[in-house]
């Protein structure tokens, strides 16, 4: 290989490329492969566009939206290509058709989404599309193509090529494989368990075609080149008694294969079927296989080993073979080695002493080793040593410019044979290099005989596929069976006759593709720098350099001094690169450029760090040439393991006649200090910048004793003083450092800032214990000259002189809790504040709840964007010993901050002011603190038990302190409520990481760890957002919401103003105002109306608190932290809601504790007396066709259905009325603050703990109709929420269904008031029952009840029994007065009898009556007709008589009363009274006065 310090070998095929044709038989599944390749084309183009989209890091870069539009446009175009239809394929299965439908629908959906996609979450959206495409891709019907690298008849390395990627399809290029008929680069790999992990065995440039032989008629792999087929054999001779002949060959045959193993006489060669001999056997010297190590090298190191042996007298003399190579092969004496043509020497032979040899260069051994033996050499002579050798070396250099490119190529191929070499013999031995020139020690020679083959007449397929013999037999048999132009498929035919497998010729012919004209190229590699190189060495990368490998050429950059980000800024130029490929093929698939980063280890030996490979940009015409921009390419150390990045770009330019005349590309590259630098167009713009570092301290470094900090940027570095007392104070003694560097102005070219922690051990030993790379530096840029720029400030720590004053404030104004305060039962508690913020439960109404709200964050406090991760003072950088990955172990943390700003180039110009000026003294740390951890509850924990639940409990760890008890676990729940406060002390920063762990309680097995979350207490203490104790919404000195901070709000406001460099606030007690930051604020603007809260603090403190809330500080809050487990990294194990308060002890006593203990329910007894019902639906019919119901009532509490109670039955209610006088008694555990009932019960008999459930306090009353033989009928239901129920009606007439409508909007005046039974205690009245009828609720009855709620103590004082049982008191219930309906049917038998017969025979009865009336009328007519006719004929005279006196008859009242039949009737206009009581009728009325008004009234 041509180049500097080369370590690789190559096989120079040059103008003759070997070709291999393999035939095999497979099922014809081309219809599946066509569909698969089309999907692969869409997927691959989408993936390339996605990678380009990811490489654009700046979201404001205009190229980002152009790339996004390009991605959508190409995706829409690709999805429009129709997939090959499976419905017309006879071989397609139902699975193929279903899969085709699925894929078609997916492409249509993706095309639609590509048109509607918005530029939001671009990467995530495209990754989802890519995932969906990959999900429908897996379908492989053909095995992969395997290519093996064989050495010494052993398989060394292999490459695996998917068959579909090189499969040909006659349907077109979209349906063919992506690499079908195209040149590609394959990277070989070692078989599993063999070879070195970080070594690439080799890479190949191949062109492959796979397809049906019927489609191979016009096969042409490359755009140029001729295919030639030869039969080859080798004639072997040995030298015996200075004569060349067959004697001395021993087992080697006279004519053999290339390895000399198989006998191949010329007569045994027969042309395969379909081929014939084109000419006779000729001698063809294999120049391309004589691997001249000098080819394409500009300099060659020649070496000769001088060998001597010890004789019997002990003196050294020449050996039998005095001159050999390194492997013991004979060579000519160095004096006889002549310089070849076109080369020259600068120095003569010299003994190499830079090895393990003695002063004269000798190394000693037992004997001169042969080529198959291995010798151990020693630099010290011993008496038992029998031989010695020393190495002579010299360098041979090529004479450039003497020959043209074509002449050099001919020289490389060694076309010119020396005199006497016309016979084509090659001298050497098997397993070693052969030479054209015979050597003195040559005992073996051979020469190659060739005979060219030519194909017969056109068979319709590529002739090279007839060489194996099996396919030729297919052709032969096919010709015998039928004379047709249609050929059978070579992929779907199976061998039917096993004898056909043995029809191959003795030796397969060799196929070559020869090229007549080569093409020359120039390669330009622009290399700038490397970054993200994590090393455990203090002096990173001692002597780094880049080796560029391209084909069989290589060059190296300059070697730099040690640097964390080595910068070369160099161009490597490869001229006159020879490629026997069509330029268009090279442009489409160029050879890969390999960049390798090398360094020197501690012993000075070169070691490979990583390599990067990518194709160069190919320019065939200089008019279109644009300098390729440099990009970051990953450096891979092992297969798939990235170990840094390198900023570089490459371009490959075709040498044309114009280029040779002008040589423009190389003239545009500047030359400086013996190397080509980068062109100005792509060279980054450098500017001098200052990096100011706040080195605060180191944390969690377990193995450090006296560390110091080393900051590196490129080739510049800076270090701090070591921390001598690291175990007691891990902060740096010198906090502020300034590093002046040269930094690229382009963000894409910026180097990372490397921070290393170097530990100092005894005797000056130093080791790197951790390293962090800060890649993104944009957040640290600032302009110190800007007017509105504010310097970063640390929150001023409290000074000790304020301690006495604070103690006085605490004693005078602090909240003294007495027995009266503790015994006072408040209406609300802390849980009320939580539920007000989350709206989880219906909390009691409280008119001052706006004064006591808190903030519930659904994430960690560090994740709230407004608080900057609580790293406004200093950030936390994790330290690693290697390149950080997802599972890389963290070895420690660095606390610090950076500021980057321009630095003047002129030394006399004014320097910008320092950013980190005033910082706390080192003596203020460590700082003792009291920490209170409030663990409220956990949400959605991962199940740990077989029942899908867990039994969690909390363990806290801070330093060596551990709190928590496994006996306090919450049984059988995934959402436990802990309500626990932990109080512990610590020294910050020595004990800064608070670890909250949740475990699952197990009785027998070890407890399972559910998850862990860690809180950095130091960040919360030092943050300027006041995260050590959240600001309460109100300032109260008593009550359940007392002020809990150490400092009053006025002092906190003064401290905040000092941090912001503002004058202290000036309070005006007369006006209730404060002058702050140039403005005047009045309390009235925050409190238009003074609240009448109990325990409200002074106006000054309230006003200061209002101002503090406007400064963006951390309010009183509850944060939701995610739990993670080491066994399932990165997976959410649940969440825990909590908060932390930190109180420095030097500031005095802490504030009062917050009571967050879980609420405990109180035992209550509900007494419900059912008096009566009214207007209940009647659902039964009695014998007299009247509607009746047998009414009874059920009642229970929601969630306590097992304690259901019911009244007795009121039979035969005709009006919907029923009387009961029945008492229900229910016992419940009620939580007044949540308005919920709590019930605990075991799920199973074997359960250890009871499970608690919460449900609303709701009374359910149902009205039922009793049936003897059929199921009871449901008449209505009444549900009352005991904590929010409507007032009952005093009378049944006022009771309506509107009482149950809580959201009645119109008319508003008719809204019914609601109340809580737990406050009113007792109530009596009417409530409506309702039933769902045709989708709507309607009134179905009314119930009169008395409800009374009693505490457990009151229930014991006033006992009462259920129903009407004893003790029947409070009040006493008597049996209701009901009408006896047992023998009602006997009281009106005629009525019931008529009702029964009328119901069954009513139609017949009506017909009979009609017929009877008609018959009577007809009889009366027949009977009266003769008399009427007779009287009409006779016509007698009318005789008048005087009237009869009837006065006495009529006026005889006594007689008339006795015989009167006038019955009393009820006035139809009468209406029932409210109490439904009938009034007595006034009696019979005398109607005679209406007829004869002149008659006197009757006398009683």
């Amino acid at each position: 290989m041509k180049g500097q310090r080369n370590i690789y070998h190559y096989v120079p095929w040059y103008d003759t490329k070997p070709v291999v044709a393999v035939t095999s038989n497979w099922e014809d599944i081309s219809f599946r492969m066509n569909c698969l390749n089309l999907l692969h084309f869409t997927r691959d183009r989408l993936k390339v566009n996605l990678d380009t989209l990811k490489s654009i890091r700046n979201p404001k870069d205009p190229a980002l939206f152009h790339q996004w539009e390009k991605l959508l446009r190409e995706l829409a175009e690709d999805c429009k290509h129709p997939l090959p239809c499976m419905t017309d394929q006879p071989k397609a299965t139902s699975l193929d058709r279903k899969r085709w439908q699925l894929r078609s629908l997916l492409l249509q959906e993706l095309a639609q989404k590509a048109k509607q996609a918005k530029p939001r979450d671009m990467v995530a959206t495209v990754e989802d599309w890519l995932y969906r495409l990959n999900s429908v891709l897996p379908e492989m019907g053909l095995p992969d193509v395997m290519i093996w690298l064989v050495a010494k008849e052993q398989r060394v390395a292999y490459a695996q090529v998917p068959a579909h990627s090189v499969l040909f399809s006659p349907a077109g290029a979209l349906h063919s494989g992506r690499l079908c008929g195209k040149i590609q680069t394959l990277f070989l790999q070692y078989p599993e368990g063999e070879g070195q992990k970080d070594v690439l065995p080799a890479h190949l440039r191949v062109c492959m075609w796979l397809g049906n032989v019927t489609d191979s008629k016009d096969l042409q792999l490359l755009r140029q080149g001729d295919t030639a087929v030869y039969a080859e054999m080798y004639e072997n001779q040995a030298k015996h008694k200075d004569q060349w002949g067959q004697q001395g060959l021993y087992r080697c045959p006279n004519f053999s294969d290339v390895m000399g193993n198989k006998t191949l006489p010329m007569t045994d060669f027969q042309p395969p079927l379909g081929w014939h001999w084109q000419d006779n056997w000729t001698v063809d010297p294999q120049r391309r296989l004589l691997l001249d190590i000098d080819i394409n090298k500009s300099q060659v190191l020649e070496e000769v080993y001088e060998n001597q042996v010890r004789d019997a007298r002990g003196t050294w003399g020449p050996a039998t073979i005095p001159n050999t190579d390194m492997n013991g092969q004979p060579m000519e004496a160095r004096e006889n080695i002549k310089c070849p043509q076109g080369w020259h020497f600068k120095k003569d032979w010299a003994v190499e002493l830079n090895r393990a040899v003695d002063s004269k260069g000798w190394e000693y051994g037992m004997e001169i080793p042969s080529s198959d033996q291995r010798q151990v050499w020693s630099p010290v002579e011993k008496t038992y040593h029998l031989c010695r050798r020393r190495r002579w070396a010299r360098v041979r250099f090529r004479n450039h410019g003497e020959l043209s490119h074509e002449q050099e190529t001919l020289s490389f191929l060694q076309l010119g044979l020396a005199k006497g070499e016309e016979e084509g013999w090659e001298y050497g031995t098997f397993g070693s290099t052969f030479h054209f020139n015979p050597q003195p020690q040559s005992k073996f020679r051979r020469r190659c005989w060739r005979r060219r083959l030519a194909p017969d007449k056109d068979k319709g397929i590529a002739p090279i596929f007839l060489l194996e013999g099996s396919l030729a037999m297919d052709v032969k048999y096919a010709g015998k069976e039928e004379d047709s132009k249609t050929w059978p498929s070579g992929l779907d035919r199976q061998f039917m006759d096993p004898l056909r497998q043995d029809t191959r010729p003795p030796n397969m012919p060799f196929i070559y593709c020869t090229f007549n004209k080569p093409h020359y190229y120039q390669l330009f590699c622009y290399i700038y720098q490397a970054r993200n190189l994590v090393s455990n060495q203090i002096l990173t990368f001692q002597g780094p350099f880049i080796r560029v490998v391209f084909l069989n050429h290589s060059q190296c950059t300059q070697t730099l001094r040690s640097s964390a980000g080595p910068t070369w800024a160099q161009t490597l130029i490869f001229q006159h690169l020879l490629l026997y490929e069509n330029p268009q093929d090279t442009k489409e698939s160029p050879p890969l450029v390999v960049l390798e980063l090398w360094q020197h280890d501690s012993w000075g030996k070169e070691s490979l760090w990583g390599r990067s490979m990518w194709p160069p940009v190919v320019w065939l015409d200089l008019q279109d040439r644009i300098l390729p921009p440099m990009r970051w390419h990953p450096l891979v150390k092992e297969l798939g393991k990235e170990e840094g990045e390198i900023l570089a770009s490459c371009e490959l330019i075709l040498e044309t006649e114009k280029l040779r005349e002008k040589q423009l590309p190389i003239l545009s590259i500047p030359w400086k200090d013996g190397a080509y630098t980068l062109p100005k167009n792509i060279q980054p713009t450098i500017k001098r910048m200052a990096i100011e570092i706040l080195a605060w301290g180191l944390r969690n470094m377990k193995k450090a004793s006296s560390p110091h900090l080393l900051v590196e940027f490129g080739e510049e570095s800076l270090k701090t003083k070591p921390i001598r007392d690291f175990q007691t104070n891990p902060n740096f003694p010198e906090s502020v450092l300034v590093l002046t560097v040269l930094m690229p102005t382009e963000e894409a070219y910026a180097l990372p800032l490397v921070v290393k922690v170097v530990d100092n051990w005894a005797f000056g030993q130093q080791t790197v214990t951790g390293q962090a790379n800060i890649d993104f530096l944009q957040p640290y840029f600032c302009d110190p000259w800007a007017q509105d720029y504010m310097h970063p400030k640390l929150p001023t720590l409290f000074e000790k002189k304020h301690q006495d004053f604070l103690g006085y404030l605490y004693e005078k104004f602090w909240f003294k809790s007495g027995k009266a305060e503790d015994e006072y039962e408040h209406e609300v508690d802390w849980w009320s504040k939580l539920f007000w913020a989350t709206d989880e439960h219906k909390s009691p109404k409280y008119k001052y709840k706006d004064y006591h709200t808190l903030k519930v964050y659904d994430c960690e406090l560090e994740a709230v964007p407004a608080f900057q991760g609580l790293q406004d003072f200093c950030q936390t950088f994790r330290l690693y010993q290697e390149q950080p990955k997802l599972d890389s172990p963290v070895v420690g943390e660095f606390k610090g901050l950076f500021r980057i700003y321009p630095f003047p180039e002129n030394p006399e110009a004014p320097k910008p002011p320092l950013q980190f000026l005033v910082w706390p003294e080192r003596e203020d740390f460590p700082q003792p603190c009291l920490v209170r951890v409030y663990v409220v509850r956990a949400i959605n924990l991962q199940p740990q038990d077989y029942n899908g639940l867990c039994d969690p409990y909390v363990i806290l760890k801070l330093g060596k302190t551990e709190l928590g008890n496994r006996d306090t676990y919450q049984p059988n729940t995934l959402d436990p409520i802990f309500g626990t406060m932990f109080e512990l002390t610590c020294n910050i920063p020595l004990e800064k990481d608070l670890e909250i762990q949740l475990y699952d309680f197990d009785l027998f097995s070890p407890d399972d760890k559910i998850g862990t979350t860690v809180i950095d207490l130091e960040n919360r203490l030092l943050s300027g957002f006041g995260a050590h104790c959240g600001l309460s919404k109100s300032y109260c000195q008593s009550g359940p919401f007392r002020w809990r901070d150490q400092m009053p709000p006025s002092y906190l406001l003064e401290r905040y103003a000092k941090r912001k460099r503002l004058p202290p606030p000036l309070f005006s007690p007369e006006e209730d105002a404060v002058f702050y930051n140039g403005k005047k604020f009045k309390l009235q603007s925050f409190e238009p109306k003074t609240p009448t809260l109990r325990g409200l603090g002074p106006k000054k403190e309230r006003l200061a608190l209002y101002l503090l809330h406007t400064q963006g500080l951390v309010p009183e809050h509850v944060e939701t932290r995610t739990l993670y487990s080491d066994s399932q990294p990165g997976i959410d194990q649940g969440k825990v809601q909590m908060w932390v308060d930190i109180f420095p002890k030097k500031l005095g006593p802490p504030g009062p504790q917050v009571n967050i203990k879980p609420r405990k329910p109180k035992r209550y007894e509900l007494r419900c007396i059912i008096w009566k019902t009214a207007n209940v639906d009647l659902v039964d019919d009695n014998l007299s066709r009247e509607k009746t119901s047998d009414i009874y009532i059920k009642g229970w509490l929601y969630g306590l259905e097992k304690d259901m109670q019911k009244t007795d039955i009121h039979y035969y209610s005709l009006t919907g009325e029923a009387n009961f006088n029945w008492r229900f008694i229910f016992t419940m555990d009620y939580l007044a603050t949540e308005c919920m009932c709590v019930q605990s019960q075991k799920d199973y008999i074997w359960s250890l703990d009871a499970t608690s459930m919460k449900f609303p306090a709701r009374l359910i009353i149902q009205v039922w109709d009793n049936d003897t033989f059929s199921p009871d009928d449901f008449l209505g239901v009444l549900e009352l929420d005991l904590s929010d129920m409507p007032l009952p009606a005093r009378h049944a007439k006022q009771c309506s269904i509107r009482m149950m409508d809580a959201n009645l909007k119109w008319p508003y005046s008719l809204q019914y008031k609601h109340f809580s039974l737990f406050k009113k205690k007792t109530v009596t009245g009417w409530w409506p029952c309702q039933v769902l009828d045709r989708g709507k609720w309607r009134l179905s009855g009314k119930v009169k009840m008395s409800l009374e709620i009693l505490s457990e103590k009151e229930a014991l004082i006033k006992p009462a029994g259920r129903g009407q049982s004893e003790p029947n008191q409070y009040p006493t219930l008597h049996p209701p007065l009901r009408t006896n309906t047992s023998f009602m049917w006997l009281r009106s038998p005629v009525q019931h009898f008529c009702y029964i017969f009328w119901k069954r025979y009513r139609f017949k009865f009506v017909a009979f009556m009609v017929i009877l009336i008609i018959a009577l009328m007809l009889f009366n007519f027949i009977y009266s007709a003769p008399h009427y006719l007779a009287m009409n004929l006779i016509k007698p005279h009318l005789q008048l008589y005087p009237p009869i006196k009837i006065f006495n008859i009529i006026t005889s009242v006594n007689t008339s009363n006795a015989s009167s039949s006038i019955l009393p009737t009820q006035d139809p206009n009468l209406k029932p009274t409210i109490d439904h009581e009938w009034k007595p009728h006034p009696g019979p009325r005398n109607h005679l006065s209406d007829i004869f008004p002149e008659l006197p009234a009757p006398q009683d």
Side-chain angles (χ1 to χ4, degrees), residues 695-760:
W696 183 245
L698 300 175
R699 306 292 183 260
N700 299 331
M701 300 290 295
K702 299 180 180 180
K703 298 182 179 180
S705 59
S706 180
H708 71 268
L709 192 70
L710 178 63
V711 182
E712 296 179 344
F713 185 86
E715 298 181 357
E716 303 295 333
S717 62
L718 190 66
K719 66 178 181 179
T720 65
K721 296 180 181 179
I723 306 176
R724 300 299 179 185
D725 52 346
F726 180 73
Q727 302 300 329
T728 58
N729 190 352
N731 291 342
F732 290 103
E734 182 181 359
S735 300
V736 182
L737 305 173
V738 179
L739 179 64
T740 305
V741 298
L742 295 175
M743 183 179 297
T745 56
E746 297 88 349
E747 182 181 349
Y749 297 156
L751 281 175
L753 188 64
V754 181
V755 177
K756 294 183 179 180
V757 178
V758 182
D759 198 9
N760 299 273

Side-chain angles (χ1 to χ4, degrees), residues 759-976:
D759 198 9
N760 299 273
W761 297 88
F763 307 105
Q765 183 181 1
Q766 295 181 345
T767 57
V768 177
T769 57
Q771 176 176 336
N773 286 9
I774 298 94
D775 298 322
F776 191 56
L777 301 178
Q778 191 63 33
Y780 306 112
F781 281 87
C782 66
D783 185 6
W785 301 108
Q787 296 181 358
D788 56 347
Y789 176 72
M790 182 175 294
H791 296 274
K793 297 297 174 185
L794 171 72
T796 306
L797 296 181
F798 304 105
E799 300 178 2
K800 296 182 180 179
K801 63 180 181 180
H802 294 293
Q803 185 173 358
D804 297 336
F805 172 73
L806 295 176
Y808 171 76
L809 289 178
Y810 184 87
E811 293 177 0
K812 184 174 182 178
F813 300 106
W814 206 245
F815 326 118
K816 299 180 181 179
S817 59
K819 293 184 178 180
E821 181 70 25
D822 297 337
E823 294 175 358
Y824 174 73
E825 184 178 359
H826 305 281
E827 297 179 357
V828 292
D829 58 358
W830 181 88
W831 288 94
S832 302
K833 297 173 67 174
L834 178 64
F835 296 146
W836 291 336
T838 57
D839 294 330
E840 295 181 26
H841 303 281
K842 187 183 294 184
S843 301
K845 295 182 179 179
Y846 188 63
K847 61 180 180 179
Y848 295 116
K849 71 176 184 179
D850 293 336
Y851 288 90
H852 305 296
T853 57
L854 57 82
K855 182 68 175 178
V856 178
Y857 296 106
D858 58 354
C859 59
E860 293 81 358
L861 194 62
E862 293 82 358
V864 179
F867 302 143
Q868 302 177 14
L870 302 180
Q871 298 187 10
D872 50 310
F873 160 58
C874 63
Q875 296 183 355
T876 303
F877 302 94
R878 293 181 176 180
L879 301 174
Y880 300 89
Q881 285 187 340
E882 57 183 10
Q883 186 74 17
K885 299 293 190 304
L886 292 176
D887 55 348
S888 298
V890 179
V891 297
E893 295 174 351
F894 164 65
K895 292 274 189 178
L897 196 61
F898 305 97
R899 286 292 180 266
I900 304 175
Y901 47 86
F903 199 79
E905 299 286 348
N906 188 4
E908 298 180 358
K911 297 181 180 180
L914 294 178
Q915 304 302 297
F916 307 116
L917 294 176
V918 181
W919 302 109
E921 297 181 0
R922 191 171 184 268
E923 289 74 14
D924 292 339
F925 295 90
Q927 191 168 137
C929 297
L930 177 70
V931 179
R932 288 178 181 162
V933 183
Y934 296 88
V935 183
V936 181
R937 59 184 176 179
I939 304 173
N940 295 331
L941 296 180
Q942 287 290 337
Q944 304 292 327
D945 298 335
Y946 293 108
N947 58 358
L949 302 174
C950 61
D951 309 317
Y953 63 93
V954 181
I955 295 295
L956 258 66
K957 291 183 179 180
L958 182 59
K960 297 182 179 179
T961 305
E962 182 174 333
L963 296 179
N965 190 351
R966 68 190 301 266
D967 296 334
T968 59
Y969 68 93
Q970 303 295 319
N972 301 327
T973 178
L974 298 178
D975 302 304

Side-chain angles (χ1 to χ4, degrees), residues 1436-1442:
H1437 297 281
L1438 179 63
Q1439 187 177 358
L1440 299 175
Y1441 296 94

Side-chain angles (χ1 to χ4, degrees), residues 64-83:
L64 180 67
F65 296 97
H66 292 301
Q67 179 62 28
W68 171 251
E69 294 175 355
K70 177 176 177 290
L71 184 147
L72 297 179
R73 182 176 63 255
E74 292 183 355
L75 178 61
E77 293 175 357
D78 296 341
C79 292
K80 289 181 181 178
H81 297 302
L83 295 177

Side-chain angles (χ1 to χ4, degrees), residues 1135-1303:
K1135 300 182 184 298
V1136 59
Q1137 289 188 331
M1138 54 169 297
W1139 84 89
V1140 179
D1141 288 340
I1142 306 173
F1143 304 106
K1145 288 187 176 181
K1146 63 184 296 184
L1147 304 181
Q1153 299 179 1
V1154 180
N1155 183 14
I1156 64 167
K1157 293 182 179 180
R1159 294 164 168 175
K1160 295 182 179 180
K1162 188 177 180 180
R1163 180 65 59 89
Y1164 286 93
E1165 186 175 286
L1166 174 64
R1167 296 179 181 179
C1168 174
I1169 301 177
I1170 309 295
W1171 296 108
K1172 60 176 66 176
T1173 63
N1175 302 118
V1176 177
D1177 290 347
L1178 305 178
V1179 295
D1180 294 336
D1181 295 331
N1182 57 16
L1183 295 178
S1184 60
R1185 298 180 57 195
E1186 293 180 326
K1187 290 287 186 180
T1188 64
S1189 288
D1190 302 333
I1191 302 173
Y1192 70 95
I1193 293 178
K1194 292 181 181 180
W1196 69 88
L1197 287 176
Y1198 179 81
L1200 301 175
E1201 288 79 3
K1202 294 182 179 180
D1203 191 21
M1204 183 185 65
Q1205 304 174 35
K1206 62 181 179 179
T1207 64
D1208 59 349
I1209 303 173
H1210 186 113
Y1211 291 97
Y1212 296 101
S1213 174
L1214 299 175
T1215 60
E1217 297 182 4
N1219 298 316
F1220 296 100
N1221 297 347
W1222 199 270
R1223 181 186 290 111
F1224 294 157
I1225 298 179
F1226 305 103
T1227 303
M1228 60 180 171
D1229 295 329
Y1230 182 71
L1231 201 56
T1233 51
E1234 298 182 17
C1235 303
M1236 302 290 284
C1237 290
V1238 181
Q1239 183 186 17
S1240 298
Q1241 63 180 6
K1242 292 185 177 181
D1243 296 335
Y1244 307 99
I1245 299 176
W1246 56 84
S1247 299
L1248 296 178
D1249 305 286
T1251 303
S1252 297
M1253 295 182 296
K1254 290 184 179 181
F1255 43 86
R1258 187 176 299 165
L1259 175 64
I1260 300 177
I1261 300 295
Q1262 292 183 350
V1263 184
W1264 290 80
D1265 171 66
N1266 180 66
D1267 291 328
T1268 305
F1269 300 104
S1270 62
D1272 296 350
D1273 299 320
F1274 175 74
L1275 301 180
V1277 64
L1278 170 63
E1279 293 189 15
L1280 295 176
D1281 190 345
L1282 301 181
S1283 60
D1284 187 19
M1285 57 188 295
L1287 281 171
R1290 298 183 59 185
H1291 304 285
K1293 184 179 179 180
Q1294 301 173 351
C1295 181
S1296 66
I1297 196 173
R1298 299 172 66 91
M1299 295 171 54
M1300 308 306 295
D1301 191 356
N1303 299 322

Side-chain angles (χ1 to χ4, degrees), residues 113 136 144 162 298 353 362 388 392 516 555 658 669 704 773 783 851 896 968 1012 1020 1077 1122 1299 1370 1398 1418 1447:
K113 288 185 176 181
V136 298
D144 295 340
S298 59
L353 301 177
W362 294 102
R388 66 177 182 178
W392 294 81
N516 297 325
Q555 289 188 32
K658 296 181 180 180
I669 309 299
N773 286 9
D783 185 6
Y851 288 90
T968 59
T1012 305
R1020 303 203 172 197
N1077 196 15
T1122 305
M1299 295 171 54
Y1370 304 113
W1398 170 257
L1418 184 62
F1447 173 77

